[in-house]
Amino acid sequence: MTSDKRTALVTGGNRGIGLEVCAQLARKGLDVILAARNPTLGKKAMDQLERRGLPVALITLDVTDPRSIDRALARLERQGIAIDVLVNNAGVYPQGTALSSPEAHFRETLETHFFGPLRLSRALIRGMQRRKYGRIVNVSSGSGSFGEGLEGPAAYCISKAAMNALTFKLAEAAGPHIKINALCPGWVRTRMGGPRATRSVVKGAETIIWLATLPEDGPTGKFWRDKKEIPW
Ligand code: NAP
């Protein structure tokens, strides 16, 4: 089964890159579930997409809260919705060095960029394996790349490096039909990236969309920017 309509779940879908990914996947004809931790902000984003002629569904999901993840997954199961594409996009960017950052920053970034994606991926991969189709896109950062010098705030870099390692090990375990990749979107004009960033959200979403819709012979277990492989 490779040509049926696919369903995608995008975490942190209410603004920034995540919102643009929801829009572009919907435009490509996928059924999109916009996941947001704040239902009011999620509803605003959903309504905004609706006005653009891009209807999506909404689910409340805080990736740092295992109960919230489990509730969202149970709701999808009750509704008979199978997720074919998971975009682990939700992100936070606390400042500080390895010495100055409070331990809470390390916990928050690891919960957001590692444990949340781990729980969601493991739960959804089972169904993907049964259906012999799955795409998981981990929205990481060059800041998580040893090869690029782990440049940036310590907790953020360390958690994105953990997300990268998770990508590699999940891809290894999930088998050939599930394509699991990480990417850096570049420096993107969002609340996180700030107004001086060099890229639009449209450009920032480009490689995510490519990885979310890879063909059966597409790559897995790699790290990308602008559709080109970059070093872990
Ligand atoms: P953004 O505009 O700050 O948006 C972050 C999104 O993540 C928001 O929707 C936020 O929800 C959500 N989020 C944060 N914590 C969450 C949680 N616990 N549960 C669910 N959602 C949560 O950031 P962005 O620039 O679009 O970033 C998207 C991804 O790209 C991130 O993973 C980021 O690390 C990565 N990235 C961005 C850049 C850049 O230059 N912008 C560069 C490299 C990588 P709320 O609205 O509720 O806060």
Side-chain angles (χ1 to χ4, degrees):
M1 182 171 105
T2 50
S3 60
D4 293 356
K5 195 166 194 203
R6 303 297 182 191
T7 301
L9 176 75
V10 182
T11 68
N14 59 290
R15 62 180 161 98
I17 295 170
L19 178 60
E20 178 60 23
V21 168
C22 288
Q24 290 193 29
L25 289 176
R27 197 172 297 124
K28 274 186 166 292
L30 279 81
D31 284 331
V32 175
I33 300 168
L34 184 162
R37 61 177 162 181
N38 178 323
T40 309
L41 297 178
K43 172 82 168 56
K44 265 192 186 168
M46 183 179 78
D47 290 346
Q48 188 188 322
L49 291 176
E50 175 85 47
R51 284 194 297 276
R52 291 167 61 189
L54 300 167
V56 300
L58 177 65
I59 203 158
T60 303
L61 200 167
D62 180 336
V63 300
T64 63
D65 178 356
R67 284 166 309 178
S68 169
I69 294 178
D70 293 350
R71 268 197 303 274
L73 293 172
R75 192 178 139 198
L76 292 172
E77 197 168 315
R78 275 198 309 278
Q79 295 176 338
I81 297 171
I83 301 298
D84 305 301
V85 179
L86 168 65
V87 182
N88 286 310
N89 165 78
V92 289
Y93 193 69
Q95 299 297 310
T97 69
L99 291 179
S100 69
S101 282
E103 201 173 297
H105 284 179
F106 294 93
R107 291 192 191 283
E108 184 195 14
T109 53
L110 284 166
E111 292 291 351
T112 309
H113 304 143
F114 177 77
F115 285 105
L118 172 71
R119 193 174 189 88
L120 271 171
S121 302
R122 293 212 292 197
L124 294 176
I125 282 171
R126 288 184 220 119
M128 292 175 177
Q129 284 176 324
R130 274 197 306 277
R131 296 187 301 279
K132 295 190 165 41
Y133 182 94
R135 304 289 179 263
I136 298 181
V137 185
N138 289 331
V139 184
S140 181
S141 166
S143 295
S145 163
F146 280 85
E148 296 189 355
L150 292 177
E151 264 182 51
Y156 183 76
C157 292
I158 290 166
S159 65
K160 291 292 190 180
M163 176 184 246
N164 288 353
L166 175 66
T167 305
F168 187 89
K169 295 305 283 180
L170 276 180
E172 187 182 82
H177 301 298
I178 324 291
K179 312 294 176 194
I180 305 177
N181 291 280
L183 76 132
C184 171
W187 188 23
V188 182
R189 286 186 296 280
T190 61
R191 203 173 299 170
M192 183 184 292
R196 290 174 46 243
T198 49
R199 293 183 170 203
S200 66
V201 284
V202 173
K203 180 70 183 164
E206 192 176 62
T207 299
I208 301 173
I209 303 300
W210 173 64
L211 291 171
T213 55
L214 283 173
E216 183 60 23
D217 61 355
T220 189
K222 307 277 188 202
F223 190 21
W224 305 89
R225 182 188 293 117
D226 294 334
K227 303 183 189 176
K228 295 194 184 71
E229 198 177 344
I230 58 173
W232 297 113

